[in-house]
Amino acid sequence: MGRKDGFVTINIRRWKKYGHDRAYASDESGTSWGFIDLKTGEMQLKPGAPSSAELSLLMWAAERAQRVTHVQEPSSYEFAPLVDVAPDVDLALNPAGQSAAAKAQEEWAAYSARRPRASKIARFLGLNTPDRSWAVGAAGEREVGGRLEKLASEGWYVLHSVPIGSRGSDIDHLLIGPAGVFCINTKNHSNANVWVSEKVVMVNGQKQPYLRNSRTEGERVSKILTRATGWEIKAQPVIIVMARRYTERSRPADVWIVGRRQTPRAFERLQPIYSSEAVETIYRVARNGAIWG
């Protein structure tokens, strides 16, 4: 952001790394004038820095502090004792694309057993086989999962291949961080054209149930985490699209559509609604696979 005080332009840049959360002031050329630490309140200004730089830093910190007081977490914490999650139900151990990759292996095993000769020819020539769509989906989830994991340095957590219910369904990625909880569905259509409007998603001209499915997943995740934590948690459904050509006529009101190249930047830009302690608690609860059955 930038401010103009008299004839001086003040640029404010936020920096969050290594446990610090600071806002730096600089002039138009990028020369730093100092910073304010949002955690400790410490302010350091360099000799010769204009008084407007100090004022801008204080105003910026005050504005952010006012926003943070309106978080969605409970006003009074009641953190239940958190025990270590047993390895057999710890979803933090799941790699991205695990469920889709397992489905691909099952489909290939069944196909090669049913048609051993044809399967060998198809694999040699690179032809489509029943496992292909699952394998492509797994590859997309692995790429998106890697992008989402870059948010770890900003205080975010991500769980992959979260099994939900008893019918073999799973959530591709569950992202938990300062800006909230996001239920993410990855759609790998790298060799297809994707068209999006407020009411429908189409792949190569064919309507897909992606919006309806994402809404349903978001509602299920919200109910499960609300029940498990005792807090009212609203999980935002998100579809991350990987496409050869992406056309957006309009955006759905309740489901976010995010491009591959916008990930993870789109989440970094969101305003925080949870403290780090609340994020940690939600993550510790969510990683326990026992709550999702």
Side-chain angles (χ1 to χ4, degrees):
M1 65 169 287
R3 298 181 185 276
K4 280 195 173 181
D5 295 280
F7 296 101
V8 180
T9 298
I10 311 295
N11 294 313
I12 305 295
R13 178 180 60 86
R14 192 174 182 184
W15 181 83
K16 292 176 65 178
K17 277 188 178 181
Y18 314 119
H20 297 295
D21 189 351
R22 296 174 176 174
Y24 281 83
S26 63
D27 61 15
E28 292 178 294
S29 67
T31 302
S32 175
W33 281 331
F35 69 86
I36 185 169
D37 192 301
L38 300 178
K39 290 186 176 180
T40 65
E42 175 191 9
M43 178 183 288
Q44 291 187 14
L45 293 175
K46 294 184 177 180
S51 59
S52 54
E54 179 179 4
L55 178 62
S56 295
L57 286 172
L58 289 172
M59 290 177 63
W60 190 93
E63 289 171 1
R64 183 182 181 280
Q66 187 176 17
R67 288 196 297 268
V68 172
T69 59
H70 297 87
V71 296
Q72 293 183 355
E73 62 198 45
S75 56
S76 60
Y77 288 111
E78 293 183 2
F79 292 110
L82 295 174
V83 298
D84 291 335
V85 180
D88 59 330
V89 294
D90 189 354
L91 301 182
L93 303 177
N94 288 0
Q98 173 177 275
S99 298
K103 275 285 189 180
Q105 292 176 358
E106 290 175 10
E107 291 286 348
W108 173 253
Y111 177 64
S112 58
R114 187 172 66 252
R115 303 187 62 184
R117 183 179 177 82
S119 63
K120 291 180 181 179
I121 295 174
R123 182 56 59 92
F124 179 75
L125 297 177
L127 303 177
N128 285 344
T129 51
D131 65 306
R132 182 171 178 80
S133 62
W134 290 106
V136 170
E141 290 180 38
R142 285 192 292 268
E143 178 180 335
V144 169
R147 289 176 178 268
L148 293 173
E149 286 169 2
K150 294 179 181 179
L151 290 166
S153 61
E154 303 292 331
W156 293 75
Y157 295 95
V158 59
L159 297 171
H160 308 293
S161 302
V162 177
I164 185 169
S166 57
R167 299 184 179 180
S169 300
D170 80 299
I171 300 161
D172 294 346
H173 317 281
L174 187 65
L175 185 64
I176 303 167
V181 177
F182 301 86
C183 180
I184 298 174
N185 204 324
T186 295
K187 295 301 178 185
N188 188 0
H189 297 296
S190 298
N191 295 318
N193 299 329
V194 177
W195 187 91
V196 174
S197 74
E198 183 179 356
K199 297 182 178 181
V200 68
V201 174
M202 294 197 297
V203 178
N204 286 339
Q206 299 295 315
K207 292 183 179 180
Q208 304 295 333
Y210 295 163
L211 296 180
R212 181 192 65 200
N213 293 347
S214 291
R215 292 186 185 105
T216 300
E217 282 189 357
E219 291 170 359
R220 294 181 72 184
V221 170
S222 298
K223 290 178 181 179
I224 290 171
L225 289 181
T226 295
R227 183 174 62 245
T229 62
W231 303 349
E232 184 176 354
I233 293 178
K234 172 65 176 177
Q236 173 63 51
V238 180
I239 300 174
I240 295 182
V241 177
M242 308 167 74
R244 177 177 59 196
R245 181 180 180 184
Y246 176 79
T247 303
E248 186 179 274
R249 180 177 179 181
S250 58
R251 296 185 178 184
D254 54 347
V255 178
W256 290 4
I257 309 293
V258 179
R260 163 202 281 162
R261 295 181 180 179
Q262 296 172 301
T263 307
R265 190 172 63 253
F267 300 97
E268 292 175 326
R269 296 175 174 177
L270 299 175
Q271 292 293 330
I273 63 171
Y274 289 135
S275 68
S276 59
E277 189 175 17
V279 171
E280 175 72 19
T281 297
I282 297 171
Y283 169 68
R284 290 286 300 275
V285 171
R287 68 187 287 187
N288 185 349
I291 74 169
W292 299 99

